[in-house]
Each structure stands twice: as C-alpha cells, then as structure tokens.
Amino acid sequence: MTAAGLIDAAGPPPSLRRRRVGRRRAVGWLWGAAGLLAVVAVWELYKLLGPANGVVIGDLRVLPRTTDLAMPHVWDMAARMLEPVTSAATARPLWLEVALAALVTLGIAAVGWLVGLVVGIALAIVMQRWRIAEWGLLPWIILSQTVPLIAFAPVVKSWGSRVQLGPFEWQDWMSVALIASYLAFFPIAVGALRGLQSPDRIHTELMHTYAAGTWQTLTRLRFPAAVPYLIPALRLGAANAVVGAVVAEVSTGLQGGIGRILIQYAGQASGDPSKAWGPIFGAIALGLVAAGSVALLGVILSNYRRVEVGA
C-alpha cells in the first residue's frame, strides 16, 4: 500500500478533524443566533400586522391578542429586565432577581439530574445484563412517564413530609429534586440501554476470547460504546430535570425558585406585562445552561464519540 493509501486508511490528521469540528460548532452558533432573530422578527411582525383581538376561528382563539398587555414589544421586555422589581428603594433589578431564583432551581435540578443519572444507568445495566429484566422493567419505565406531574408533585411533598429518620428531616426542596429525577431518569435509562447494547457481536465475542468478565466487558467495551448514545440522553435528562423542578416548584409552592416567581409575576401581568416575561426568559436560559453543561461533558468524552469522516 502506498503512503497516500495509508493516510486515506487512517483518515484525516487530528488538526484537520479539529478544524472541521470547529467549523461545525461555529455554524451551529450562527444557526442558533439566526433562529433567535427569526423568533423576534415573527413576534414583532405579528404584533404589527395581527388583529388586536387575535385570530379567532369560531369560538376558539388560535393566536393571541396583539395588545401591549398581551404581547409587549421585545425591547420593552429587555428594558424591563434592567429596572427594579418594585418601586421600593432597596428593590433589586429584575434580571438579578430572576438570576438568583434560577440559581436555586438549577441547584435543585442538578441534584435531581444526578439521582436520575444513577437510577437510569443502574436500570440500564440490569436490563442489558438480563433480557427478562428488560422485558419486565422497560414497559413500566415508559408507563411511568404518563403520570400527570402536576397531580403527582403534591403527593410526593405529602409523603416526604412524613419521612423522618433520626435527626434527618425531609426538606421541601428534596420533593422538588425527587420529581426532577423522576423526569430525568427516563431518557437516561433508555439511552444508556441502547448504548450498552450497541457493540457488535464480534466485539463481545472477542472479549470472551480474552476471558474478560462481565465487569471488564462493561467498563472496557460497553460503556465506551454507549457514549454516543448517552450524551444526548444526558442532555435531554438535564432539560427534563429543569422542567420537572420548575413544575414541582409551582405545584408544591416552594419559595425561592424560578417556578414560584413565574406564578407571582404572572399575577401582576395586568399592571406590568413586561415583568411577567422576566422569569420566562430565566427559565429558558436555565434550560440552555443545563443542556450546555452536559455538552461540556461531551467535549471531555469526545475521544469515545463516533465522528463521521468525509471523503
């Protein structure tokens, strides 16, 4: 084989692969910015051209009203983020109030995500190891996600308030974290199971030839092979944990989180409509931070991810 053939067989050099990855990331950022600008443009265009009473078909309003009370201008919402929450002299800016509440929710969601990670991977290992466990557990795992979260959250809080083991006392935020983990574990379990089952039979037989045990096969073959499946599942689990934490805060009445100020500011929307959008933007940013944190984990594990090599 010629030198050119050896280079083709080995694929492009690492520097070229890094440049390609960098270009793909730059293009992704550009598309994300373009999507954000498109949302702003559609919002303002509909506010400019849409009917004041919204689009009504029969007795059903399919598009919202375009009044300033229902749809504030984007620049009004941005300016309101810089203003104090209330007229009090000691009131903090709205953006700071939203950021502090988002940090509380992020911490609770992170705990829920970690619990969901442990439970999801443990279930995936059990289901991969024993096929009968997969047949028995997987339908119930899927069925668990059909439970209405708003109705489930107060029940969890009620059960948690009765838990007391010696000096340990159940806190309200633990109920919220438990609900966050309830939403997070599902995509992690399914993604991890798919990844652990992904190695080809020839590879597992090779491990058997080397007299590798179950644990060695799991750590040296199945887990590295599962990374391309696990990273998207972890990202989805992080987003689900944020959604679960916000909804649980609303349902359980937990103070300090962004879910609570969502309800509080929404009740003030009739007099200050732009203020109600502050925690909505905070919740969106919270989800992006959670998913972005998992993306950093994907960068660390990039050596285990499958990359398509162009011709």
Side-chain angles (χ1 to χ4, degrees):
M1 183 179 292
T2 64
L6 289 173
I7 293 175
D8 291 339
S15 59
L16 179 58
R17 287 200 298 267
R18 285 194 294 268
R19 285 197 296 270
R20 289 177 177 177
V21 171
R23 284 197 296 268
R24 283 198 297 268
R25 289 175 181 170
V27 170
W29 280 103
L30 288 175
W31 277 110
L36 180 60
L37 292 175
V39 171
V40 172
V42 169
W43 179 280
E44 291 297 333
L45 188 63
Y46 173 70
K47 181 173 176 59
L48 176 65
L49 302 177
N53 197 40
V55 177
V56 181
I57 299 178
D59 296 330
L60 181 64
R61 178 177 289 105
V62 295
L63 290 177
R65 296 182 175 91
T66 58
T67 61
D68 290 339
L69 183 61
M71 288 186 64
H73 287 289
V74 173
W75 48 84
D76 289 337
M77 292 185 283
R80 184 64 181 87
M81 293 290 289
L82 302 176
E83 299 174 0
V85 177
T86 64
S87 58
T90 58
R92 291 180 291 204
L94 179 59
W95 70 267
L96 181 57
E97 195 75 23
V98 170
L100 294 175
L103 285 176
V104 173
T105 303
L106 181 61
I108 296 174
V111 174
W113 181 79
L114 289 174
V115 174
L117 173 65
V118 173
V119 173
I121 290 183
L123 288 172
I125 292 174
V126 171
M127 290 188 290
Q128 183 277 320
R129 182 67 179 85
W130 294 284
R131 182 58 61 88
I132 191 171
E134 179 183 355
W135 295 342
L137 289 176
L138 192 57
W140 289 103
I141 292 174
I142 297 173
L143 186 63
S144 68
Q145 301 304 296
T146 64
V147 178
L149 195 61
I150 294 179
F152 183 57
V155 175
V156 173
K157 181 181 179 181
S158 176
W159 288 347
S161 63
R162 303 171 186 174
V163 174
Q164 187 171 0
L165 299 174
F168 173 78
E169 186 175 349
W170 189 268
Q171 304 295 323
D172 288 342
W173 69 267
M174 296 178 182
S175 299
V176 176
L178 182 61
I179 294 167
S181 68
Y182 175 77
L183 287 187
F185 93 95
F186 172 72
I188 295 175
V190 175
L193 175 62
R194 181 69 182 88
L196 293 176
Q197 294 176 338
S198 64
D200 296 329
R201 184 172 182 178
I202 188 174
H203 296 147
T204 58
E205 290 178 348
L206 180 62
M207 296 297 290
H208 293 159
T209 303
Y210 290 152
T214 301
W215 178 250
Q216 289 179 311
T217 302
L218 185 66
T219 56
R220 296 179 181 272
L221 174 63
R222 295 193 182 276
F223 268 129
V227 170
Y229 301 89
L230 193 56
I231 294 300
L234 293 178
R235 190 180 298 119
L236 182 58
N240 283 1
V242 170
V243 172
V246 172
V247 174
E249 286 174 352
V250 173
S251 301
T252 61
L254 181 69
Q255 301 290 333
I258 202 166
R260 190 60 183 173
I261 65 172
L262 271 169
I263 299 299
Q264 180 183 348
Y265 292 174
Q268 304 169 7
S270 59
D272 193 354
S274 297
K275 180 180 178 181
W277 287 90
I280 295 176
F281 294 149
I284 294 172
L286 188 59
L288 293 176
V289 169
S293 301
V294 179
L296 293 177
L297 179 61
V299 173
I300 297 173
L301 299 176
S302 59
N303 291 335
Y304 295 99
R305 304 184 69 176
R306 298 172 185 171
V307 179
E308 294 183 3
V309 179

